[in-house]
Amino acid sequence: MSFPVVCAVSGHGFGHFAQLAAVMNALHRLRPDLEILIVGAVPATLPAGRLSAPWRLARVELDVGLVMHDPLRVDVAATRQALQGLHARREAMIRREMTRLQQERPRFLLADIPYVSLQAARRCGVPAIALASLTWDQVCTAYFPAEDAQVQGWLEQMRSDYRCADLALLPEPALAGETFAHIQSIPPVASCGRCDREGLRKALGFADDDQRAVVLVSLGGIAQPRFPWHALIQDSRMHWLSDAPATPAAGTLRHLPQALPDWNFSDVLASVDAIVGKPGYGMVVEAAAAGIPYLYVRRGLFADEAPICDWLARHGRSQELSTTEFARGDWVEHLETLMARPAPARPQVNGAELAAQLLTRRYP
């Protein structure tokens, strides 16, 4: 007897999948017979090494999210065009997902945060749970005028679909509460890694007397064509690890997948001395849980940045870079200041475990 679950995931970066994976791994510890179907436009390599339960992937588009020029700049015109296309075929997408759910017959659907999947689940009688630190209607209102009739139509459909969720689990710091009919707040959700600073430095081949800090530079799962590589290569006061695909390996700059092929990302994050990134949910929560200083640059109008940054200011060591400072790559002084600050008490990030317990009670 298996415990099948369908996980619908937004393909905007890796953060939505990271939240789902944390909950599914906690659920697998309670239900060893868990079997997962992931549905969404995520890379086929992403679940490997991140999920403990057996999984399959149906790689299809479920939502638009935002179309990005790079991790920091939204292509508003392309996003609008993509939303027009998606909402023109929304009914066909719902019917496709209904067919999938009827074939899979899962105990429940867990969505983070595609709205058409929730509508499909409601129509075919499959229990539907949302895991949401934000919703796409909230994101869209920041980029498109509310008086635009077409935008209003999109928002109405998004909100109608989100209200199909039987329950929405809102991991702190969440922005999504007013969109759903039934909500339950939970602590932060994260897949926290194992701290092994000594092992990390050994794996990177550092000399015993090399005490320079190791800094992880990561802007999530979106390509970054405009990056201050030259500044980092020239600045040898720290070691830099970047997961961006085009990272040149020169000076003290290393491409993370090549430099540490046997390390998973969460263990790297927990073992470095500091991080430079954007205020994305998963990175911020994992950094605060591990006590890692976090230097960040905002994306501008992205809806969940304010609550995430406020939460990080309370629970971690953090500082904001301006876009100009980020583009120059002159980060060392800011990082040294951050690392010298006393670390606050680490927050509890057991939302995944509590979510898994709730799901097993609700759907035994």
Side-chain angles (χ1 to χ4, degrees), residues 34-107:
L34 176 65
E35 295 179 356
I36 303 168
L37 174 65
I38 306 155
V39 183
V42 298
T45 55
L46 186 58
R50 296 178 183 239
L51 287 173
S52 59
W55 58 271
R56 293 173 290 131
L57 173 64
R59 197 166 187 271
V60 297
E61 181 189 57
L62 294 174
D63 56 15
V64 169
L66 293 171
V67 180
M68 308 292 294
H69 290 294
D70 57 47
L72 304 179
R73 298 180 305 137
V74 175
D75 188 332
V76 177
T79 300
R80 180 169 196 132
Q81 186 176 14
L83 282 167
Q84 285 174 337
L86 185 143
H87 281 265
R89 61 183 187 278
R90 171 176 166 270
E91 280 297 324
M93 293 172 67
I94 291 170
R95 289 194 298 272
R96 180 195 69 197
E97 294 311 308
M98 288 176 65
T99 299
R100 191 190 314 279
L101 290 169
Q102 288 162 346
Q103 291 172 343
E104 295 292 328
R105 301 177 66 185
R107 292 291 180 92

Side-chain angles (χ1 to χ4, degrees), residues 36 62 80 94 118 150 183-185 187 244 278 288 311:
I36 303 168
L62 294 174
R80 180 169 196 132
I94 291 170
L118 294 167
Q150 186 178 52
I183 65 172
Q184 179 164 334
S185 296
K278 57 181 172 57
W311 183 88

